[in-house]
Amino acid sequence: MPTRDELKAFIDQMPPEKLDLVYINLESILHPPVPDPQIERIIRRSEEFQRELSERLPQLQAGCKPETIRGFNGGGGFGCGPGLRNQGGYSYSWFEGITHVTHRLMIHAGREMDIVERLQLTEDETKLIFEQEIYAEGRIVKRKEEFPVAPMGESFPRARLSKTSIGRL
């Protein structure tokens, strides 16, 4: 374990522009933030969701070809800054048959919501079907969109990242 003098010498070697990072890290160790009940609740829901998906894995694998590997993945995190409300979430994805499902547990500006999205290609491979369910503020909003599929080797316009938005074509 390093001594205080060793830590002080280490800090003395830091470039001035990095001292704010050192301060923030030391401050968070000395004075950890008080747990936020809203974030704690979403973390518990996320942990329950992981357990439920693990228990459902055999069901998701049932009927698949032996060479097909079925599983799920997920991750996420939360944060906020001075004067900001809680932001962040956890996202999990898996396959139900040929349908790709994503379930997001989110907090946006301190408001909790669940977003469930399903994406699949029709059997004749002519359309991509996108379904979305948003659970927020005591409401459920559902929508379904069908997109024509480009012939093999061709593509449609893609979303571009801009300074003000993502996905506007």
Side-chain angles (χ1 to χ4, degrees):
M1 177 182 296
T3 67
R4 288 180 183 275
D5 289 334
E6 289 172 328
L7 287 173
K8 289 176 185 175
F10 193 64
I11 291 171
D12 287 340
Q13 296 175 34
M14 296 295 297
E17 64 272 8
K18 300 289 183 182
L19 289 176
D20 58 339
L21 297 173
V22 173
Y23 179 81
I24 290 169
N25 282 300
L26 290 174
E27 179 71 22
S28 70
I29 292 169
L30 290 172
H31 306 287
V34 176
D36 183 299
Q38 183 180 42
I39 291 176
E40 296 296 316
R41 185 172 52 253
I42 292 287
I43 290 171
R44 281 193 306 276
R45 283 190 61 214
S46 175
E47 290 167 350
E48 290 169 15
F49 205 83
Q50 287 179 42
R51 278 192 298 278
E52 289 173 14
L53 279 175
S54 294
E55 291 168 4
R56 271 191 70 202
L57 189 56
Q59 177 189 354
L60 294 172
Q61 292 172 327
C64 293
K65 296 177 184 175
E67 66 271 12
T68 302
I69 298 173
R70 294 283 180 173
F72 66 91
N73 63 24
F78 292 95
C80 68
L84 297 176
R85 296 185 196 167
N86 292 335
Q87 304 282 351
Y90 286 94
S91 178
Y92 297 93
S93 297
W94 65 92
F95 277 89
E96 292 178 354
I98 61 169
T99 303
H100 182 264
V101 181
T102 300
H103 188 143
R104 291 183 280 161
L105 310 170
M106 297 182 60
I107 298 176
H108 177 72
R111 303 292 186 185
E112 294 181 34
M113 66 186 75
D114 282 32
I115 300 174
V116 180
E117 297 172 336
R118 289 179 171 79
L119 186 64
Q120 78 176 53
L121 190 61
T122 57
E123 285 189 33
D124 63 3
E125 297 188 4
T126 60
K127 294 179 194 163
L128 189 61
I129 299 172
F130 173 78
E131 295 179 76
Q132 185 179 56
E133 299 172 5
I134 302 171
Y135 300 80
E137 303 297 313
R139 292 183 54 212
I140 302 171
V141 176
K142 296 182 179 187
R143 61 184 268 213
K144 181 177 180 178
E145 301 288 338
E146 294 185 4
F147 300 90
V149 174
M152 292 300 270
E154 296 180 29
S155 66
F156 289 115
R158 303 272 185 237
R160 302 235 190 290
L161 181 62
S162 71
K163 291 181 182 178
T164 58
S165 67
I166 297 174
R168 294 193 180 168
L169 299 176

